Amino acid sequence: MFIEEENNKKAMAESLMKILALMVLDVLTILVAMTGSLWIRFDFSFTAIDPIFLESVEKYLIINLIMTLSLNAIFHLYTSLWRFASINELRNIICAVVLSAVLQEMGMVFLSLPMPRSYPFLYVLLLLVMMVANRYSYRIFHILRYRYGPGRNQRPVRTMIVGAGAAGYMILKEMKTSKHLNRVIPCIIDDNPKKKKTYLGGVPVVGSREYIPEAVEKYHIEEIVIAIPTMSGEERKKLLNICQQTACKIKILPGIYQMVNEEVDVSMLRDVEIEDLLGRDPVELDMGDVVQYIQGRVILVTGGGGSIGSEICRQVAMHNPRRLIIVDIYENNAYDIQNELKERFPKLDLIVLIASVRNERRIEAIFREYRPDIVYHAAAHKHVPLMEDSPNEAIKNNVLGTFLVAKMADRYHAYKMVLISTDKAVRPTNIMGASKRICELIVESFAQNSETIYSAVRFGNVLGSNGSVIPLFRRQIEQGGPVTVTHPDIIRYFMTIPEAVSLVLQCGASATGGEIFILDMGEPVRIADLARKMIRLSGHIPDQDIKIVYTGLRPGEKLYEELLIDEKNLKPTRNEKIYVVQLTPVDGEKIRNKVEMLVRAAFDEASDIRERVKELVPEYVIRPANAASEAAVTEESGGIAGKGREKKQSYEISSD
């Protein structure tokens, strides 16, 4: 505290010294302007000046000094940051000088002090020129100092700005004046043909985006800065594809709906992320409905420490729930999201519980004590290859967990339950996708005879989530490669985590019971192209600096994912980006009976678990290699069917 006070005192003293120095400079400037005007009037000869005019200057000098210095203070000429002086500061100088001349003329007339008729005009001219010079010379000095002074021995980075608008100008201005940025701007790119061959801040606008590769060669550009905050996702993708034809490092100004007070600076620039290259505009959702149905309610999120579950918690916390309950089996993730939410939302009533969704007694105890109104079920095993090696675990965690949460939501009269599903549930070729399809069937079966509103949200891959290829590619690139892709033609749909969660919340608000909500995810992305783009973003050349190696499809993996089983059942919603599938009604009791037998078999470590899954999900395609593989044996069952039955409480399902 003492050090901070000392620093504040030192800063105030320095500021006061600068103000006093400017005032002394202004006193000299005013004196020169008054006498210099007479000197010019009398043909640049002091001896020719009539003594009566010099007496007038002498008599009015003190008054003029007081009035002019006061005007300078009123127009902030002593408190402006002249290093960043702009048109606004120039306007203030002009106003202060003109008012000073007007008041001086009025004062001299009032005091009957004779002066030549040309004096006021010469006074304004001289005072204005000198005031502008002594103020703006400070800025010019700093520009020259930062550009050519100590610390500028390193060669500046040759940077090209894309966008000759307001944002581009502000980025250009700061790059030219900042002592922290060693940049030289040889050219600017803009698509507006009217701006071609014009200058922005002294820098030529040389052409449209198609000219970028040629301009990079011609001007030896090393870095490209994209300063078009209003650009759509599709346009951004096209522009970045052109920029990636070069070997330049690319930075981008994030989208800004409006620039308040033109507050745009270099600190807003960020490296281009893979999300920018996908070219998808964020889905606009009606968050008013979300606020209305979350506000004041008790929200339970299972798997709340995971990538999707934690984002659900963040967005729910923003909409003022009465209480937020996070359930997760992994304590580290739960601890991280707990600390984050406590810091960001100190008034939030937050409960964080360690529990397994496979433990019926624990889940019932949570529902009985906290009586959640809305349940988001995100807890699940999601890694396809791992579940192929341990198929029974997929059934225990995904199927049994969903059944128990759905059952308790019904028993304790929750208002709504939303299941987080996946595109891998459509015509599944892996046990993870098939288990999530069974979860959808469970939700549909409960929706038929319950007061609770059940629904599921199905979407594709989520950028940056646990298990996503993005973190894997990043690690491989950091290690110098190779980057491993399973197949050159494999494609996937992608979306961002916040967008996926906004969809979940919106669909939960819109659900009436038994629906599967689906997002229009745009065009699918070829994973090999994604890998190449990420390598380029890192400043390397694909297949030269960093190799791409094709490893073959993993167990249960298919070349492309689908979001729908039958497009005839697809119906639009109020949001053009969101669709709903009302599937054929299922026999709820039959589903629950089959699920119970399936879970029993999983805890008995049945080797034919895939065939049993296919009875529930006929469209599930069992690959020969998968069918021949043995089911993993876990410590929970000890590999003995009899012991699995002894632990009946941990897995047995009752349909009451």
Side-chain angles (χ1 to χ4, degrees):
M1 189 71 179
F2 175 77
I3 295 175
E4 185 177 349
E5 289 180 359
E6 287 297 313
N7 289 336
N8 289 338
K9 289 179 181 179
K10 184 178 179 181
M12 289 178 64
E14 290 178 355
S15 178
L16 184 59
M17 289 300 296
K18 287 180 180 179
I19 291 173
L20 290 174
L22 279 174
M23 292 180 74
V24 170
L25 183 60
D26 284 347
V27 168
L28 296 174
T29 300
I30 294 166
L31 181 59
V32 170
M34 294 179 75
T35 56
S37 299
L38 294 175
W39 178 63
I40 295 172
R41 164 64 180 78
F42 287 94
D43 301 323
F44 306 99
S45 173
F46 280 111
T47 57
I49 300 174
D50 192 326
I52 193 172
F53 297 140
L54 291 175
E55 289 178 9
S56 296
V57 167
E58 184 180 354
K59 290 178 181 178
Y60 199 77
L61 177 61
I62 299 301
I63 299 174
N64 193 35
L65 287 174
I66 294 172
M67 293 181 63
T68 304
L69 294 179
S70 300
L71 286 170
N72 289 352
I74 291 171
F75 284 97
H76 310 293
L77 301 189
Y78 299 121
T79 53
S80 294
L81 295 174
W82 293 102
R83 176 185 159 196
F84 302 104
S86 63
I87 296 296
N88 186 61
E89 282 73 25
L90 179 60
R91 182 193 62 198
N92 288 343
I93 292 174
I94 293 172
C95 291
V97 168
V98 171
L99 276 175
S100 172
V102 170
L103 292 175
Q104 181 181 209
E105 181 65 17
M106 291 172 61
M108 286 186 168
V109 170
F110 180 77
L111 297 175
S112 301
L113 298 175
M115 291 295 282
R117 283 177 297 179
S118 60
Y119 171 80
F121 304 102
L122 294 171
Y123 173 79
V124 168
L125 179 63
L126 277 179
L127 186 61
L128 181 61
V129 168
M130 288 188 290
M131 289 280 285
V132 169
N134 62 40
R135 256 55 174 191
Y136 280 81
S137 61
Y138 184 82
R139 179 180 176 181
I140 294 169
F141 169 76
H142 275 78
I143 291 174
L144 294 174
R145 177 187 173 190
Y146 297 146
R147 186 171 296 179
Y148 303 110
R152 290 291 170 172
N153 296 328
Q154 294 182 349
R155 184 177 62 83
V157 178
R158 298 182 67 82
T159 302
M160 176 169 65
I161 295 177
V162 180
Y169 174 69
M170 282 178 270
I171 295 296
L172 171 67
K173 183 171 66 173
E174 187 167 356
M175 282 188 168
K176 281 186 168 184
T177 60
S178 175
K179 65 180 178 181
H180 304 292
L181 300 171
N182 191 17
R183 297 290 188 275
V184 60
I185 320 293
C187 65
I188 296 174
I189 293 291
D190 197 282
D191 285 336
N192 188 342
K194 295 180 181 179
K195 293 182 179 179
K196 187 176 180 181
K197 295 185 179 179
T198 62
Y199 288 81
L200 180 70
V203 179
V205 180
V206 296
S208 62
R209 67 179 67 182
E210 289 76 17
Y211 186 65
I212 287 175
E214 186 177 342
V216 167
E217 292 287 334
K218 180 177 179 180
Y219 295 98
H220 308 291
I221 301 299
E222 301 167 272
E223 180 182 71
I224 299 174
V225 170
I226 299 174
I228 312 176
T230 56
M231 182 179 291
S232 68
E234 183 62 30
E235 287 300 307
R236 185 186 303 118
K237 176 184 176 182
K238 292 177 182 177
L239 177 58
L240 288 172
N241 284 338
I242 295 173
C243 293
Q244 283 207 310
Q245 296 174 20
T246 72
C248 297
K249 186 174 183 180
I250 308 170
K251 288 186 175 292
I252 192 167
L253 193 67
I256 303 173
Y257 291 106
Q258 64 182 60
M259 294 175 288
V260 181
N261 297 326
E262 298 185 337
E263 291 177 359
V264 175
D265 56 49
V266 172
S267 65
M268 294 180 180
L269 290 173
R270 61 170 173 80
D271 291 336
V272 173
E273 297 288 348
I274 196 65
E275 291 88 340
D276 299 308
L277 299 174
L278 295 179
R280 295 186 63 243
D281 290 321
V283 176
E284 294 182 6
L285 301 173
D286 184 4
M287 299 311 291
D289 288 349
V290 175
V291 173
Q292 187 174 358
Y293 102 106
I294 286 181
Q295 190 170 19
R297 287 195 163 107
V298 178
I299 313 297
L300 170 66
V301 182
T302 68
S307 51
I308 298 295
S310 61
E311 182 63 23
I312 292 176
C313 294
R314 292 183 192 98
Q315 294 197 24
V316 164
M318 291 190 293
H319 301 310
N320 300 315
R322 180 156 61 90
R323 173 175 286 172
L324 174 58
I325 305 160
I326 298 175
V327 173
D328 203 291
I329 190 61
Y330 185 44
E331 63 178 7
N332 290 349
N333 283 350
Y335 179 74
D336 289 342
I337 189 63
Q338 180 185 46
N339 286 341
E340 179 185 337
L341 293 180
K342 281 184 175 181
E343 182 177 345
R344 291 181 58 188
F345 307 97
K347 295 183 180 179
L348 175 66
D349 185 354
L350 178 65
I351 305 293
V352 179
L353 304 171
I354 302 301
S356 169
V357 292
R358 291 154 53 156
N359 186 331
E360 182 171 5
R361 289 180 177 174
R362 176 65 167 147
I363 295 301
E364 181 169 18
I366 292 171
F367 272 81
R368 183 173 58 245
E369 180 175 357
Y370 297 104
R371 307 281 174 155
D373 299 305
I374 300 170
V375 180
Y376 293 101
H377 182 50
H381 286 326
K382 304 179 183 72
H383 292 261
V384 170
L386 291 179
M387 292 303 99
E388 288 304 294
D389 293 334
S390 304
N392 287 313
E393 293 305 305
I395 303 304
K396 295 173 192 175
N397 203 66
N398 296 357
V399 176
L400 176 59
T402 299
F403 187 92
L404 292 179
V405 172
K407 176 181 174 181
M408 296 310 161
D410 174 59
R411 177 177 293 178
Y412 291 94
H413 310 290
Y415 173 44
K416 288 187 178 183
M417 173 182 167
V418 181
L419 167 71
I420 310 302
S421 190
T422 171
D423 55 359
K424 294 175 177 62
V426 183
R427 280 188 280 269
T429 59
N430 53 69
I431 195 69
M432 193 284 283
S435 71
K436 294 299 282 185
R437 177 60 188 141
I438 296 173
C439 294
E440 293 179 353
L441 294 173
I442 291 171
V443 165
E444 291 179 65
S445 70
F446 274 94
Q448 293 177 354
N449 302 303
S450 176
E451 295 179 359
T452 299
I453 297 172
Y454 293 87
S455 64
V457 182
R458 186 189 288 169
F459 46 78
N461 297 271
V462 179
L463 289 171
S465 65
N466 297 328
S468 167
V469 295
I470 306 299
L472 172 63
F473 286 171
R474 283 200 180 107
R475 287 196 300 272
Q476 291 175 335
I477 291 169
E478 288 171 1
Q479 294 167 4
V483 173
T484 57
V485 179
T486 57
H487 193 283
D489 297 322
I490 192 168
I491 62 173
R492 289 292 183 266
Y493 294 94
F494 282 98
M495 63 194 309
T496 65
I497 292 177
E499 183 180 19
V501 169
S502 295
L503 169 67
V504 170
L505 299 186
Q506 178 73 76
C507 295
S510 307
T512 57
E515 309 101 325
I516 295 178
F517 290 94
I518 296 167
L519 174 67
D520 177 3
M521 301 186 68
E523 296 297 321
V525 177
R526 194 180 299 273
I527 300 300
D529 293 341
L530 187 69
R532 290 189 181 91
K533 289 178 178 180
M534 290 189 66
I535 292 171
R536 284 195 176 277
L537 286 180
S538 68
H540 297 90
I541 300 176
D543 298 319
Q544 292 185 25
D545 301 336
I546 294 181
K547 299 290 184 182
I548 296 177
V549 176
Y550 298 102
T551 58
L553 292 176
R554 299 174 298 178
E557 190 173 41
K558 51 185 177 180
L559 282 177
Y560 61 93
E561 302 292 358
E562 305 162 273
L563 292 173
L564 301 173
I565 292 178
D566 188 350
E567 291 190 2
K568 291 184 294 184
N569 291 331
L570 184 65
K571 296 179 181 179
T573 65
R574 287 184 301 170
N575 191 310
E576 62 180 9
K577 292 286 189 178
I578 301 175
Y579 297 88
V580 63
V581 178
Q582 198 78 46
L583 299 176
T584 305
V586 298
D587 185 335
E589 186 173 352
K590 183 179 179 181
I591 291 292
R592 286 192 286 270
N593 288 336
K594 285 189 174 183
V595 167
E596 179 177 353
M597 291 187 289
L598 180 66
V599 171
R600 284 177 177 271
F603 276 90
D604 286 345
E605 300 301 335
S607 60
D608 63 343
I609 196 69
R610 291 181 174 85
E611 286 75 11
R612 294 171 184 259
V613 167
K614 191 171 178 64
E615 293 177 13
L616 267 167
V617 187
E619 67 271 19
Y620 171 37
V621 178
I622 304 176
R623 294 185 176 179
N626 292 347
S629 64
E630 296 182 358
V633 177
T634 67
E635 292 182 1
E636 184 170 359
S637 67
I640 301 174
K643 286 188 178 181
R645 291 191 183 93
E646 289 172 6
K647 298 200 176 189
K648 187 174 183 179
Q649 177 59 43
S650 68
Y651 63 84
E652 185 177 90
I653 295 175
S654 56
S655 58
D656 59 333

